[in-house]
Amino acid sequence: MHRFYVSDVSEADKSVHIYGEDVNHIKNVLRLRKGDEITIGDGSGRDYTCTISGISDEEVVADIVDITDNAAELRTDIYLFQGLPKADKMEFIIEKAVELGAKEIIPVMMERTVVKLDDKKKPRKLERYNLIAESASKQSRRGIIPKVSNFVNMKEAIDIASKLDMIMVPYESAKGMDYSLEVFKEAAGNKKSVGIFIGPEGGFADKEIEELKQAGARIVSLGHRILRTETAGLTALSILSFMIESA
């Protein structure tokens, strides 16, 4: 069933009104008609099964048939602090991080970040990132649309992460697999919010690792291989989301 998001829908409503680009997608791309069923997510974890009752050039009206809690959300909020990579790697990371259950992706300009974005380009880049997150959310049937936040530096990222229940940092100098497994188990077992920091292509600077340790970060291993930046975060997310859902 095709999925869309409408933020102002409530359980008291009998129908949902869809506007904007989704109208063209429903009418001219998917070619849906009156009587077809769609799912509307309210962006906060509720799903509305609806039947289309009206289609025009400006709006689609869908009558609510059933309301359920979305089952795709993890009970732990996972924040991915991603050192900004080169080229279009960030787009790939955002798409897959959303599929794997991340609540928010924070692009971080770290010491070894190669990309130097002009301030004028950042809003356009951020807009595209959030469109990718929305598309991935629809595809993976998420109950929310994960946010891609504004670009931050390392100090700002640590300030944000310090408010979370746990900070994890996959890094090659971690204590070992047994220790790392215990950290993942702890994160999956009783933490409501977890931040995962991933370095850019050049990795973390020593100073950044020390700053993260001072903020209480747990340094973990993802195995005996060195992973690319676009692989490391997704590996950590995969492990953690699996452990959360199997606990």
Side-chain angles (χ1 to χ4, degrees):
M1 193 182 302
H2 298 290
R3 184 178 187 82
F4 304 92
Y5 290 94
V6 177
S7 60
D8 59 353
V9 63
S10 72
E11 294 182 31
D13 294 334
K14 293 184 178 180
S15 60
V16 182
H17 294 256
I18 302 172
Y19 303 99
E21 293 180 1
D22 282 339
V23 173
N24 178 66
H25 190 66
I26 290 170
K27 182 180 179 181
N28 299 318
V29 179
L30 299 176
R31 298 187 179 278
L32 299 180
R33 296 293 180 261
K34 290 182 181 180
D36 288 339
E37 282 196 347
I38 59 174
T39 299
I40 303 291
D42 64 3
S44 61
R46 299 286 275 174
D47 283 349
Y48 298 76
T49 302
C50 302
T51 301
I52 295 175
S53 58
I55 300 178
S56 70
D57 291 338
E58 291 77 31
E59 69 173 348
V60 173
V61 181
D63 297 336
I64 297 172
V65 177
D66 191 27
I67 305 171
T68 57
D69 289 322
N70 184 278
E73 296 307 311
L74 300 171
R75 67 173 184 277
T76 303
D77 293 336
I78 305 177
Y79 296 78
L80 178 63
F81 295 83
Q82 175 66 51
L84 193 65
K86 295 184 292 185
D88 58 354
K89 292 179 183 177
M90 191 66 184
E91 296 183 4
F92 172 81
I93 291 167
I94 290 166
E95 180 182 76
K96 302 309 172 189
V98 169
E99 291 179 21
L100 290 168
K103 181 177 182 179
E104 187 170 338
I105 299 99
I106 301 97
V108 187
M109 308 300 288
M110 299 183 182
E111 184 175 320
R112 294 178 180 170
T113 296
V114 175
V115 180
K116 304 299 179 185
L117 285 181
D118 187 289
D119 286 343
K120 293 180 180 179
K121 294 181 180 180
K122 287 181 179 179
R124 190 183 305 167
K125 203 83 169 173
L126 198 60
E127 181 180 4
R128 174 159 176 77
Y129 287 167
N130 277 286
L131 286 173
I132 290 168
E134 180 177 353
S135 177
S137 186
K138 290 177 180 178
Q139 184 276 323
S140 55
R141 300 189 181 278
R142 294 285 302 271
I144 66 168
I145 302 174
K147 175 186 176 184
V148 183
S149 72
N150 204 356
F151 299 87
V152 297
N153 59 37
M154 193 63 171
K155 181 183 183 304
E156 292 168 329
I158 292 175
D159 286 345
I160 295 168
S162 64
K163 298 177 177 65
L164 306 178
D165 291 341
M166 179 185 280
I167 305 172
M168 302 173 63
V169 184
Y171 190 59
E172 56 263 28
S173 65
K175 293 180 181 178
M177 296 305 292
D178 290 341
Y179 169 78
S180 300
L181 180 59
E182 290 305 312
V183 173
F184 272 101
K185 284 182 178 178
E186 182 182 343
N190 60 9
K191 302 302 181 184
K192 292 183 179 180
S193 57
V194 176
I196 300 174
F197 274 76
I198 303 296
E201 286 91 348
F204 292 103
D206 292 342
K207 177 186 175 184
E208 291 172 334
I209 291 295
E210 289 306 312
E211 289 171 342
L212 283 163
K213 286 180 179 178
Q214 289 174 17
R218 313 285 283 276
I219 310 301
V220 298
S221 173
L222 298 178
H224 300 298
R225 293 152 300 283
I226 301 298
L227 303 180
R228 293 179 182 272
T229 185
E230 65 268 32
T231 309
L234 303 182
T235 299
L237 273 167
S238 298
I239 295 169
L240 185 53
S241 62
F242 177 83
M243 294 181 74
I244 290 169
E245 293 193 312
S246 62

